[in-house]
Amino acid sequence: MISGENSVSRPVVRSDVLLGQIDSLASVGLDSSGGRTRLALSESDKAGRDMVVRWMEEAGLEVRMDRIGNLFGILRGADGGLGNALMIGSHIDTVIHAGPYDGCYGVLSGLAVLRAFREAGVVPPRPLVVAAFTNEEGVRFQPDMLGSLVAVGGMPLGEALDITDGKGCTVGEALAAIGCSGGEEPGFLLPSGYLELHVEQGPRLDAEKKRIGVVEGVQGISWWRITIEGKANHAGTTPTKLRHDAGYAAALVSVFLRGLSLSAGTTLATVGTIDFEPGAVNVIPSKAVFTVDLRDPDGEKLTEAEKRLAAFLEKTAFEEGVGISSEHLVRFEPVVFDRELVQAVEETAASKGLSSMRLVSGAGHDAQMMARVCRTAMIFVPSAGGISHSPEEHTSGEDLAAGVEVLLGVVLRVLGF
């Protein structure tokens, strides 16, 4: 029996509406080759935000925005306040040339759950909130998960607003340019519980033929920017032994990182971007600037990988006669989600006849920020072939619908229905 004023039926998610909204949002920022790009606080991000705001309003939600641009759709509970809220969230900004689901699925599924309560005439005993956080991807502005980080007090607002992109535009300027400097202070709405539904972005569920991923936590992340200063010289006249080649030194670091990953077992290491100067085919590079992404579910192993990288950089600088400096861009410790919420996800999937498996997320999510202030859990659905951050990202409509059914089931459990 569901309690609540004027309750007429049990909340039911309309999967056809959800899938239609996913398709509509996926068309924003779409290019001719099938990818979409909605970098944080860009005009395309603004267009996506406007679409989500319209859907929130059509669902009868109260719409609020904070000063870092985090967007909230609120369904107030029986007491009319905002305390003890249960939040469902994710993001709608994308990487460059992205697929249709990453982040968007979580926001629109949260909206679908709140819409189900409204359409059933059920007033929840406590507030329900759907959130779309700013700059989760971290492509335009670093660090990633910036909106949720500021919301939970992990970075002062002023510091976040002063962060610049590659063209010198600050977060504050970008927010003002698209009219998304909201009126609320970050943290005005801190929930007591947070749920996030997401495509896995990895191959495990698809490979194991499991319908639901029960996410126990998120692995630690460490991002670096490394600069190597060598000496430019003629590629045809400079003997190998007399070179101070920044490009070669960068290659040594990349090969070292592959070996580090293989020897550590659980550590992942990626050189994601690299630039050479002067950038000519017949000139030995005088400068190399590249990024390194280190990840591990074990905090001690992540720290050990950082130490090994630092030691190798020092050794390479000495042996190759180059200067090497490093800048730590991001450092997030591994996160363990709330045991009771994780169990609720597992039990809800089983009650619906959906196979599941427990796993740790290899990707970062806003959930790991929210875990700093409240009970948190995540639900995964399969990514076909494990593909994500790509136009080839695909999850079947059946799996998308199954994920939101589990999400709704967990919400009902948490609310005591």
Side-chain angles (χ1 to χ4, degrees), residues 90-329:
S90 198
H91 63 98
I92 66 165
D93 66 304
T94 73
V95 297
I96 298 169
H97 205 52
Y101 305 118
D102 180 4
C104 304
Y105 172 50
V107 173
L108 297 179
S109 293
L111 177 57
V113 168
L114 270 62
R115 185 189 305 110
F117 274 80
R118 288 283 297 175
E119 292 179 347
V122 176
V123 177
R126 52 197 263 211
L128 294 178
V129 180
V130 55
F133 290 108
T134 297
N135 191 58
E136 190 272 352
E137 293 291 3
V139 175
R140 183 179 180 189
F141 300 103
Q142 291 83 48
D144 55 347
M145 298 168 282
L146 180 63
S148 52
L149 178 64
V150 173
V152 301
M155 178 183 287
L157 175 63
E159 181 181 336
L161 294 177
D162 287 340
I163 293 171
T164 59
D165 65 9
K167 298 180 180 179
C169 177
T170 68
V171 169
E173 290 167 342
L175 283 165
I178 64 171
C180 287
S181 298
E184 305 290 347
E185 291 298 320
F188 82 100
L189 204 174
L190 288 179
S192 60
Y194 178 85
L195 298 169
E196 185 165 351
L197 176 59
H198 212 284
V199 292
E200 183 194 357
Q201 302 182 275
R204 290 163 292 184
L205 292 176
D206 189 48
E208 297 290 335
K209 306 302 179 187
K210 302 294 186 181
R211 301 290 302 281
I212 297 295
V214 182
V215 187
E216 295 183 290
V218 179
Q219 64 183 351
I221 301 174
S222 178
W223 283 3
W224 299 69
R225 180 184 291 117
I226 296 171
T227 301
I228 301 179
E229 301 274 1
K231 184 176 181 180
N233 216 328
H234 198 292
T237 63
T238 309
T240 299
K241 291 184 178 181
L242 298 180
R243 297 185 179 203
H244 303 284
D245 187 338
Y248 174 66
L252 288 175
V253 176
S254 184
V255 172
F256 164 79
L257 289 170
R258 175 57 65 91
L260 183 154
S261 294
L262 292 173
S263 64
T266 56
T267 303
L268 298 174
T270 304
V271 174
T273 67
I274 189 164
D275 291 296
F276 292 139
E277 293 181 9
V281 67
N282 58 350
V283 180
I284 297 166
S286 61
K287 186 175 184 179
V289 180
F290 57 99
T291 58
V292 173
D293 179 316
L294 296 173
R295 304 191 186 213
D296 201 294
D298 185 314
E300 292 184 0
K301 285 188 175 182
L302 182 62
T303 298
E304 178 62 23
E306 292 172 321
K307 290 179 179 178
R308 289 179 62 185
L309 173 59
F312 186 80
L313 294 177
E314 184 176 353
K315 174 176 177 287
T316 301
F318 174 77
E319 293 180 349
E320 298 302 321
V322 296
I324 302 182
S325 60
S326 60
E327 177 187 1
H328 216 163
L329 301 176

Side-chain angles (χ1 to χ4, degrees), residues 41 46 49 65-70 174-182:
L41 308 182
K46 166 65 172 174
R49 286 166 169 264
M65 188 181 298
D66 68 17
R67 293 179 60 196
I68 198 67
N70 295 324
L175 283 165
I178 64 171
C180 287
S181 298

Side-chain angles (χ1 to χ4, degrees), residues 340-390:
E340 291 183 2
L341 280 182
V342 170
Q343 185 174 347
V345 172
E346 191 169 54
E347 292 177 353
T348 301
S351 72
K352 297 180 179 297
L354 298 169
S355 59
S356 70
M357 64 181 290
R358 292 196 175 207
L359 42 73
V360 174
S361 175
H365 299 283
D366 291 307
Q368 73 192 78
M369 299 295 111
M370 300 307 295
R372 299 184 180 193
V373 298
C374 68
R375 300 172 61 205
T376 300
M378 291 191 72
I379 304 164
F380 279 172
V381 295
S383 295
I387 296 173
S388 188
H389 282 185
S390 163

